[in-house]
Amino acid sequence: RKLFICYPPSDTDNLDPFAGDEGLMNGTWLDPLDEQVDTEWPMHKKATPYIGVVQEGETVLMPKGWWHYAASLEPSLTVMRNFYTERTKQEYIRRKDDGLENAVAQHVLKANARLKNQPDEVLKEIAHKTVLKMREGFKNRSGPHRWSPEPGGKPPAKSAASHSQ
């Protein structure tokens, strides 16, 4: 069993948020179970918590933007997975591109002898343009044939009916 305390996106300002994962305002130190929560975080008094207990075998689907606090009420195992849909696809791609741009700037461009002394803003701009060119390249290529591995990880045998995508 697991206790969930959830808050709608409209309560974000009441939860004392800070920039967490990927620079998004999705972190907070607020502990809704702390007896002093309303003293330490006065805006929390304006928040509307939705509270529930998830029983064994049940699943929780958390909509995008909802805040959640979870506490195990007994020993348990949690499996968590983020999903994206056509509606959230562009944000997902933007977040991944931002991470890729940072990695290119910090680990590839800074390692280049000609660029290592450039300001971070310059490296980020070069990395941004690089990722945009990569995206264009992905859009314009036909790509390799896609296949699903069979048990044992071996590709399926080619047949006359197969085709490239």
Side-chain angles (χ1 to χ4, degrees), residues 57-127:
E58 294 181 328
T59 300
V60 173
L61 296 175
M62 194 67 55
K64 179 181 174 230
W66 276 69
W67 293 82
H68 61 281
Y69 176 95
S72 291
L73 301 175
E74 57 193 39
S76 64
L77 174 70
T78 300
V79 178
M80 192 280 299
R81 181 73 181 135
N82 287 326
F83 296 92
Y84 80 94
T85 64
E86 280 300 316
R87 201 176 90 214
T88 61
K89 180 178 172 181
Q90 291 307 314
E91 179 184 347
Y92 177 80
I93 290 170
R94 181 194 55 77
R95 292 166 103 189
K96 294 302 175 189
D97 284 357
D98 288 348
L100 182 57
E101 288 173 16
N102 287 332
V104 168
Q106 296 300 313
H107 303 289
V108 177
L109 299 176
K110 271 197 174 181
N112 183 303
R114 292 184 296 160
L115 298 173
K116 68 180 180 181
N117 294 322
Q118 291 291 323
D120 285 346
E121 300 81 38
V122 171
L123 297 178
K124 284 185 177 184
E125 182 62 27
I126 295 169

Side-chain angles (χ1 to χ4, degrees), residues 1 8-9 13 18 22 27 36-37 39 54 61 65 68 74-75 91 93 101 110 126 132 145-146 153 157 159 165:
R1 295 177 331 123
D13 291 341
F18 62 82
E22 301 169 344
Q36 301 298 317
V37 67
T39 303
V54 178
L61 296 175
H68 61 281
E74 57 193 39
E91 179 184 347
I93 290 170
E101 288 173 16
K110 271 197 174 181
I126 295 169
L132 287 177
H145 176 72
R146 293 190 174 112
S159 69
Q165 294 186 14

Side-chain angles (χ1 to χ4, degrees), residues 145-157:
H145 176 72
R146 293 190 174 112
W147 58 271
S148 298
E150 293 182 0
K154 296 179 182 175

Side-chain angles (χ1 to χ4, degrees), residues 12-13 15-30 67 94-95:
T12 295
D13 291 341
L15 301 176
D16 195 32
F18 62 82
D21 295 344
E22 301 169 344
L24 302 174
M25 295 300 283
N26 63 1
T28 183
W29 296 112
L30 185 146
W67 293 82
R94 181 194 55 77
R95 292 166 103 189

Side-chain angles (χ1 to χ4, degrees), residues 3-7 30-34 62 67-71:
L3 171 70
F4 273 85
I5 303 173
C6 304
Y7 300 89
L30 185 146
D31 178 351
L33 298 180
D34 185 339
M62 194 67 55
W67 293 82
H68 61 281
Y69 176 95

